[in-house]
Amino acid sequence: MTAITHQPLAMTNPWGLVPSLGNLDAYITAANRLPMLTLEQEQEFARQLKDNNDIEAAGKLVLSHLRLVVSVSRQYLGYGLPHADLIQEGNIGLMKAVKRFDPDQGVRLVSYAMHWIKAEIHEYILKNWRMVKVATTKAQRKLFFNLRSMKQGFKADAAEATHRNTLNPQEVDAVATKLNVKPEEVLEMEMRMSGGDVLLDPTPNEDSDEAFGPIAYLTDTNHEPTAMMAAHQRDVLASDGIAAALNVLDERSRRIVEERWLKVQDNGSGGMTLHDLAAEYGVSAERIRQIEVAAMKKMKAALAEYA
């Protein structure tokens, strides 16, 4: 066979023909301008790769099909993932297809590569879409990637389409029958796909100095080191610290504090009242209150030293 040259793609580094995906518009424009290969060119490059592991030939096959990846990736923009990431994953699928392509099978690379491109994009979406594993079986994956288009078809036929976002029982049964899944699986998948995303850790905006999100109440602070140290300190003060503070009081002051603050009756009420203690010591209730205040001040100072 006479060697076929294709000047636009004949270069050591064929990837230099397209810009980085960081400039998506420029990348897509460049990919769409790359010339497509004829059947003879595709066959020759594929044989060079298969027989001689010619990397430059592989690059030419990949470059000529970048527009296919761009076209396929557009079909998956509805999942909220960056277009550049979808193209990148599709390119990985394209390269896998080029590596495995057999020119003697009688099919064009475009038909063979379509499966690999879609498979790689599917895997990326399932792993990253809302960071939730939404499909585990083959049937569920089929449901995931077909439910949105089937819902659009139902809505287009329904008079109340503009007012209804969920499937009715008949539509659920129709989807389940066509995709060979259970009706409850259709309902669960619809709920997951219809649910909105929630930002766990919102960034404060210019209208508010503080923003509150689920992270505030989902975080387990019980085992956070500083919280554990503070809890331990409170426990120590509530036991050993209180005992040490009581020791700085005289007998009468200590008993007044214990009766007023540290004793609990069987019915859940506190200890003796000011009047009860006043009657016992033969002084006024106001005098008992003064003794209590002075005792509490001494205990507070003792606790501060203990801490």
Side-chain angles (χ1 to χ4, degrees), residues 247-286:
N247 288 333
V248 304
L249 302 178
D250 59 78
E251 184 177 348
R252 184 176 63 173
S253 298
R254 177 171 179 165
R255 182 162 185 271
I256 290 174
V257 170
E258 288 177 340
E259 289 291 345
R260 293 278 293 147
W261 297 98
L262 302 180
K263 285 191 176 180
V264 179
Q265 304 295 332
D266 294 337
N267 59 5
S269 62
M272 299 175 68
T273 65
L274 290 175
H275 293 284
D276 292 336
L277 290 167
E280 179 176 331
Y281 287 105
V283 295
S284 65
E286 174 60 22

Side-chain angles (χ1 to χ4, degrees), residues 54-66:
D54 190 332
I55 302 302
E56 185 175 347
K60 295 170 183 176
L61 290 170
V62 170
L63 282 171
S64 65
H65 289 80
L66 290 182

Side-chain angles (χ1 to χ4, degrees), residues 111-281:
S111 300
Y112 182 76
M114 186 75 73
H115 164 77
W116 288 94
I117 294 170
K118 287 186 175 181
E120 206 68 28
I121 293 177
H122 285 186
E123 285 299 316
Y124 173 74
I125 292 174
L126 290 173
K127 290 178 181 178
N128 295 276
W129 190 66
R130 293 182 181 172
M131 296 180 291
V132 177
K133 193 172 184 179
V134 295
T136 54
T137 66
K138 184 177 180 179
Q140 287 177 328
R141 292 183 179 211
K142 188 176 181 180
L143 171 61
F144 178 83
F145 286 106
N146 286 276
L147 182 58
R148 179 179 278 109
S149 60
M150 293 185 70
K151 284 181 65 176
Q152 292 299 324
F154 289 137
K155 291 171 67 176
D157 297 334
E160 72 278 16
T162 56
H163 306 291
R164 178 168 56 86
N165 293 318
T166 59
L167 296 175
N168 61 40
Q170 293 76 22
E171 292 168 344
V172 170
D173 291 338
V175 173
T177 301
K178 183 173 181 178
L179 300 181
N180 193 30
V181 295
K182 298 178 181 179
E184 49 266 32
E185 290 180 313
V186 176
L187 292 172
E188 181 183 2
M189 188 64 71
E190 182 188 24
M191 179 183 67
R192 292 183 180 184
M193 295 179 70
S194 300
D197 292 331
V198 177
L199 189 61
L200 287 179
D201 192 8
T203 302
N205 55 44
E206 58 184 14
D207 298 326
S208 174
D209 293 333
E210 296 183 357
F212 183 81
I215 196 68
Y217 54 83
L218 290 177
T219 304
D220 180 13
T221 59
N222 292 330
H223 296 89
E224 197 272 327
T226 56
M228 294 177 66
M229 292 175 62
H232 175 70
Q233 186 176 19
R234 287 194 300 270
D235 291 341
V236 171
L237 288 176
S239 55
D240 299 345
I242 293 294
L246 286 172
N247 288 333
V248 304
L249 302 178
D250 59 78
E251 184 177 348
R252 184 176 63 173
S253 298
R254 177 171 179 165
R255 182 162 185 271
I256 290 174
V257 170
E258 288 177 340
E259 289 291 345
R260 293 278 293 147
W261 297 98
L262 302 180
K263 285 191 176 180
V264 179
Q265 304 295 332
D266 294 337
N267 59 5
S269 62
M272 299 175 68
T273 65
L274 290 175
H275 293 284
D276 292 336
L277 290 167
E280 179 176 331
Y281 287 105

Side-chain angles (χ1 to χ4, degrees), residues 7-11 13-19 30-31 34-35 63:
Q7 188 62 31
L9 296 181
M11 57 190 302
N13 179 22
W15 289 102
L17 290 172
V18 290
L34 290 170
L63 282 171

